[in-house]
Amino acid sequence: MTPESPDTVEDLDIAPEETAPVGRVTLWEGDPGTLPLNVRRTLVALLRGPYLSQRRDSVLWATLLAHTDVIRAHLGDLLLQLEIDADSEVAFTRNLRPDPDFDQPVPSVLRTAPLSFIDSALLLHLRHLLLQATAQQERAVVGRDEIAAHMSAYLTSSGHDEAQFAKRLAASLERMRKWSLLVDTDTADRWEISSVLALVLTAEEITGIEQEYQRLREAAADGTQPALTEVEEETA
């Protein structure tokens, strides 16, 4: 949320023309665009990612709700799919997944980030903490030491020694911060888990990660260490 943004949607002063059906709007002479400025800003925020939320910018969130159909259509022209969770008040984009009967190639617009074994284990843990806190109607806040204690259970399966594991875990935490899945708090090394995480990992992806962990546990019991596979997750 920007410093000048209102605290709540109710505090917004949205001009009548911004809630009316959107026609062509020219912002300056020779402007090739067609949309009001706030609608364009909302599109840019969604494209930049990793997500848009009411908490981070209530003005753009209100604009998204007022012009969802227009924004969804413009993203569709870019082969992107808009995902909105009204309860969590977050929105983000995915690569458009066409109908299975569509027989032409559709390029991926959003780049993908390969998730290592440690990334995947960390994401699953954070998602579990988030769902647990949400059920209790609390903020999901976690510290570095708590994460390290939980993740130590994966040391053997990771294929790294203790020093390597600690280094890779620290790098993974930085990636979560970069993707705004972990949001800084006023306390050093304590972060709030973003509610968008519950939406980003699909049930299919979670099942795939859990099956991978089972494969690693079975391999460890047999005294072998298989190659780790990686899961790819879309990032803006």
Side-chain angles (χ1 to χ4, degrees):
M1 184 183 297
T2 56
E4 66 274 17
S5 299
D7 291 333
T8 65
V9 173
E10 287 76 11
D11 294 333
L12 294 173
D13 183 16
I14 301 177
E17 64 269 20
E18 291 197 45
T19 58
V22 177
R24 181 180 178 88
V25 176
T26 301
L27 299 181
W28 60 84
E29 185 176 355
D31 175 20
T34 63
L35 300 174
L37 180 58
N38 263 3
V39 178
R40 299 190 202 188
R41 290 180 59 231
T42 303
L43 280 166
V44 170
L46 288 166
L47 291 171
R48 283 180 174 173
Y51 59 87
L52 174 65
S53 71
Q54 194 279 337
R55 184 175 175 182
R56 294 172 73 178
D57 196 318
S58 58
V59 172
L60 296 190
W61 179 255
T63 302
L64 173 64
L65 296 185
H67 302 294
T68 301
D69 291 343
V70 170
I71 291 170
R72 193 184 301 277
H74 279 267
L75 289 173
D77 286 337
L78 298 176
L79 299 176
L80 293 173
Q81 177 177 322
L82 176 64
E83 300 283 354
I84 301 176
D85 187 289
D87 294 332
S88 300
E89 297 185 312
V90 293
F92 61 99
T93 59
R94 291 187 185 272
N95 286 318
L96 189 63
R97 295 176 173 88
D99 187 281
D101 295 331
F102 189 72
D103 59 359
Q104 298 183 45
V106 175
S108 293
V109 179
L110 301 178
R111 68 183 183 272
T112 58
L115 299 182
S116 68
F117 173 84
I118 295 175
D119 290 334
S120 302
L122 177 56
L123 280 173
L124 279 186
H125 179 52
L126 295 178
R127 187 180 185 276
H128 172 74
L129 293 177
L130 175 64
L131 295 179
Q132 192 176 57
T134 300
Q136 297 173 357
Q137 297 183 327
E138 298 175 350
R139 294 170 59 201
V141 179
V142 65
R144 185 183 296 271
D145 290 344
E146 299 163 63
I147 291 174
H150 172 83
M151 292 293 292
S152 64
Y154 297 97
L155 174 59
T156 302
S157 298
S158 71
H160 304 299
D161 62 32
E162 189 171 347
Q164 288 176 320
F165 185 83
K167 182 178 180 180
R168 291 175 182 268
L169 176 57
S172 183
L173 285 169
E174 284 305 306
R175 281 191 289 276
M176 301 306 142
R177 292 181 62 212
K178 176 183 176 182
W179 297 337
S180 297
L181 298 178
L182 286 177
V183 182
D184 291 347
T185 67
D186 293 335
T187 305
D189 287 341
R190 287 191 67 79
W191 306 284
E192 182 171 358
I193 306 170
S194 170
S195 58
V196 77
L197 181 56
L199 311 174
V200 170
L201 283 181
T202 66
E204 181 180 355
E205 288 163 340
I206 292 170
T207 299
I209 295 172
E210 290 175 340
Q211 288 175 346
E212 176 72 356
Y213 291 163
Q214 181 61 34
R215 183 176 73 89
L216 289 168
R217 283 193 292 268
E218 292 172 355
D222 294 338
T224 61
Q225 182 63 47
L228 300 179
T229 60
E230 291 184 329
V231 179
E232 287 194 340
E233 178 59 44
E234 294 168 354
T235 62

